[in-house]
Amino acid sequence: MLGYVVPHKGELKIREYEIYRSYYCGICKSVGRRYGQLPRLVLSYDFAFLALLLAALEPESESLKREHCLVHPVQKKPVTEENHAIRYGGDVMLILAYYKLMDDYLDDNSYKARAAALGLEPTIRRIRKEKEGLCQLTETNLQALAQLEKANCPELDRVEEPFAQIMKAIFQQGALETGGTVDVANLEKRQKLLGHIGYHLGKWIYLMDAYEDIDENIAKKTYNPLLYRFDYDSDKESISSFRERIRDEVEFNLIHYLAELSNGLDLLDIKKNRGILENIAYLGLRRRTEQVLAGEKPSEPDSPSVHEEQ
Amino acid sequence: MSNPYEVLGVRQNASEEEIKAAYRELVKKYHPDKYQNNPLADLAQEKLQEVNEAYDTLMKNGSGSYSNSYSSTAQSSYQNQTSPEYNDIRHIIDSGNLGYAEQKLAQVRNRDAEWFFLSGMISYKKGWYDDAVTKVRTAASMAPGNFEYQSALNNIMNSGRMYQNQSYGRGYANDDMMCKLCQAYICADCLCDCI
């Protein structure tokens, strides 16, 4: 489900790319320092965006260091020093990763997922102490989602809602994690805008995932909202003609979510790194959208994942 | 009041032309059309006002010649003849209490074009666009001559297009040649970037 949120590297300045990378590495290092090596394996790019966005509301520029790490043992990489945004991004990344693994285990009886979830459990217990409300909300919404999926819900918006609400809460609470110096009125504004961004990002991620999984879901006879929303009938059409038939409507929705996400970003009181954030919102996410709609597997040239390189 | 130069994003001794260009860009960015029926409309309006004030201040200090700042027309969104019942619901929708509006609408037995329209507008404000489009489309086809439904539908369909235009404006390219160039560039980049 995760890992769609990346910038369009070709249009980034080199300095901007360094900063972006430094958040990604910053989260990874921070998670490693606080929770040990194992939780670092679930690293995803989506939360580099969140950390970058939250930090962008603070005027102080980040302090970058160059450090070695396991994945890049020879060349030093830029790393942002740990701050509130980085810690928060890391924590919510682990919460979502954990529940995703549990979900995979319950859905497909995947023992690999169960093992990984077990490995994360001590970490989640620690995070839970501080973020009980967020964990609770995530659990409740994922249960609601499971119900809708079990009932083969044909309404796209309804089935997208739980995940969108989780992301909304994550982004909204992020406003509280940073912003120590902001007055109440501005804090409310931030929360509203961050919530708007998170909500639409959640809807976008869920729908992207659904469109990408059509083939797999048909093969495995598992639920996919698009099959019910657009009345897929295996006797009457091939999978590829189904994809083709629904493509425009899916695209309309995906683009609409990105438009709202960008509207929120445009109104946010951003103090730094606007170029990177707008690159992600207007170029990176759009390119990912077109790739998924065209059925291309993104080769991830922009985003070397830790798993792949190890 | 905040620094007008900062609000417009121009340097302290920017020329009149630069100020005007920046102003035009910002008006486009915060234009009420972009935020119609949007929960963020009030925040966009606030920003626009700030931009207008900054522009007025700079223009007065500069040549002092004129001020033609953009004023957002506060239009009432509903000009149609409508039953008192629907009128009520429209007010509730405007006030932002979507749950209550939904409840009231569910009690209406006659599901005519306006019912579908209002139901669609509630969905739209909730962020349920797939649902909103379906319903507003239904309303527009039930009452083909209704300008309000048609324009709401156009508006919904347009918001995505505005985003796409903005992304083209920032250098988004989607044709094959560009993609190949990018890939080549990224591959080359990986070679010198890795390890």
Side-chain angles (χ1 to χ4, degrees), chain B residues 1 71 104 114:
Chain B
M1 191 191 150
S71 66
K104 291 282 263 185
E114 188 160 6

Side-chain angles (χ1 to χ4, degrees), chain A residues 9-11 74-75 77 156-158 161 189 192-193 196 199-200 203 229 252-253 255-260 262-264 266-267 274 278 281-283 286-287 290 301-302, chain B residues 29-30 34-35 38-40 42-44 46-47 124 126-131 133-134 137 156-157 159-160 163-164 166-168 170-172 174 185-186 189-190 193 195:
Chain A
K9 190 178 167 190
E11 292 287 337
V74 180
Q75 203 182 61
K77 291 285 171 187
L156 200 52
D157 293 300
R158 188 174 302 280
E161 193 67 11
K189 241 185 258 179
K192 185 173 176 181
L193 290 167
H196 194 78
Y199 178 83
H200 290 93
K203 293 196 80 150
R229 164 68 178 84
F252 164 78
N253 280 294
I255 294 289
H256 206 128
Y257 303 150
L258 295 186
E260 284 305 325
S262 311
N263 278 344
D266 280 349
L267 288 171
R274 186 177 270 281
E278 290 190 351
Y282 284 101
L283 306 175
R286 174 148 186 223
R287 192 167 69 136
E290 307 294 343
D302 294 12
Chain B
K29 195 167 170 183
Y30 303 128
K34 239 177 90 181
Y35 292 92
N38 192 305
L40 304 182
D42 51 336
L43 294 181
E46 217 173 272
K47 276 271 189 197
Y124 189 77
K126 263 166 52 181
W128 286 32
Y129 309 117
D130 190 46
D131 202 53
V133 172
T134 313
R137 231 183 234 149
I156 296 173
M157 303 310 283
S159 57
Y163 166 82
Q164 282 169 317
Q166 278 171 311
S167 101
Y168 285 128
R170 280 162 215 266
Y172 185 85
N174 197 30
Y185 160 75
I186 287 160
D189 202 57
C190 284
D193 211 80
I195 311 188

Side-chain angles (χ1 to χ4, degrees), chain B residues 37 75-80 90 94 148:
Chain B
N37 289 311
Q75 10 132 281
S76 146
S77 32
Y78 310 120
Q79 306 98 333
N80 272 32
R90 281 169 185 263
D94 278 347
E148 186 186 18

Side-chain angles (χ1 to χ4, degrees), chain A residues 3 25 29 58 75 84 92 106 129 133 141 185 188 196 201-202 213 245 273 294 305:
Chain A
C25 295
K29 291 253 174 188
E58 308 291 319
Q75 203 182 61
H84 281 296
V92 292
L106 294 173
K129 273 188 203 137
N141 273 293
E188 269 173 21
H196 194 78
L201 186 64
D213 286 350
R245 172 162 72 84
N273 296 333
S305 117

Side-chain angles (χ1 to χ4, degrees), chain B residues 73-145:
Chain B
T73 43
Q75 10 132 281
S76 146
S77 32
Y78 310 120
Q79 306 98 333
N80 272 32
Q81 290 298 318
T82 177
S83 73
E85 198 173 18
Y86 282 141
N87 219 357
D88 260 7
I89 296 174
R90 281 169 185 263
H91 283 304
I92 300 168
I93 297 175
D94 278 347
S95 75
N97 193 346
L98 300 178
Y100 185 46
E102 231 169 2
Q103 227 176 17
K104 291 282 263 185
L105 202 58
Q107 287 162 8
V108 177
R109 275 214 208 103
N110 178 20
R111 311 240 146 139
D112 54 5
E114 188 160 6
W115 188 91
F116 279 101
F117 172 68
L118 293 181
S119 181
M121 290 330 275
I122 293 172
S123 292
Y124 189 77
K125 286 205 170 186
K126 263 166 52 181
W128 286 32
Y129 309 117
D130 190 46
D131 202 53
V133 172
T134 313
K135 282 174 172 154
V136 177
R137 231 183 234 149
T138 307
S141 69
M142 284 166 87

Side-chain angles (χ1 to χ4, degrees), chain A residues 228-246:
Chain A
Y228 295 90
R229 164 68 178 84
F230 295 103
D231 303 312
Y232 171 71
D233 184 344
S234 59
D235 297 335
K236 290 195 187 121
E237 61 188 334
S238 66
I239 300 179
S240 61
S241 64
F242 175 69
R243 292 179 88 101
E244 203 49 47
R245 172 162 72 84
I246 69 171

